[in-house]
Amino acid sequence: MLNYAGAPPLAAMADTDSRQLIAAELRSLIARIDLSMRLIDAAMTEDDMEPKDDSATAGSTEIFVLDDVTPRFATAGAALNACRAELDRALQQL
């Protein structure tokens, strides 16, 4: 649980100050999501660039390699995109 004991109560702040504080926090969250998206993209790219064992596929064009990691990255990316969209919307509402 977060400890807000040392933080000033928002009710005592001017209305514009509290809105600016909320907007700054939303921008910070959006920046963190953007960083996480870049990390996911880098991990997916890194996973794609790993050398594969081509000895089994040397004479065949009918072999498909199923990557069970990419769907998890894609799911995480989709969730982050949804969060970012909602944070953008919240920021615009201020």
Side-chain angles (χ1 to χ4, degrees):
M1 205 187 271
L2 297 174
N3 182 3
Y4 289 107
L10 290 177
M13 300 177 102
D15 204 26
T16 52
D17 289 342
S18 64
R19 268 188 262 138
Q20 289 174 348
L21 183 63
I22 293 167
E25 183 66 22
L26 289 172
R27 283 188 210 97
S28 174
L29 290 170
I30 290 169
R32 292 290 305 158
I33 286 174
D34 289 343
L35 176 63
S36 295
M37 291 296 295
R38 286 193 299 271
L39 291 171
I40 287 173
D41 289 342
M44 288 176 66
T45 302
E46 183 180 292
D47 193 43
D48 288 342
M49 298 184 95
E50 287 181 6
K52 306 283 191 258
D53 180 18
D54 290 333
S55 61
T57 60
S60 175
T61 59
E62 299 296 321
I63 302 288
F64 295 97
V65 177
L66 299 177
D67 184 1
D68 63 339
V69 176
T70 300
R72 288 183 281 166
F73 284 138
T75 301
L80 287 172
N81 278 331
C83 288
R84 190 184 195 295
E86 290 299 319
L87 288 171
D88 282 337
R89 195 171 77 168
L91 189 58
Q92 290 173 0
Q93 296 300 315
L94 287 176

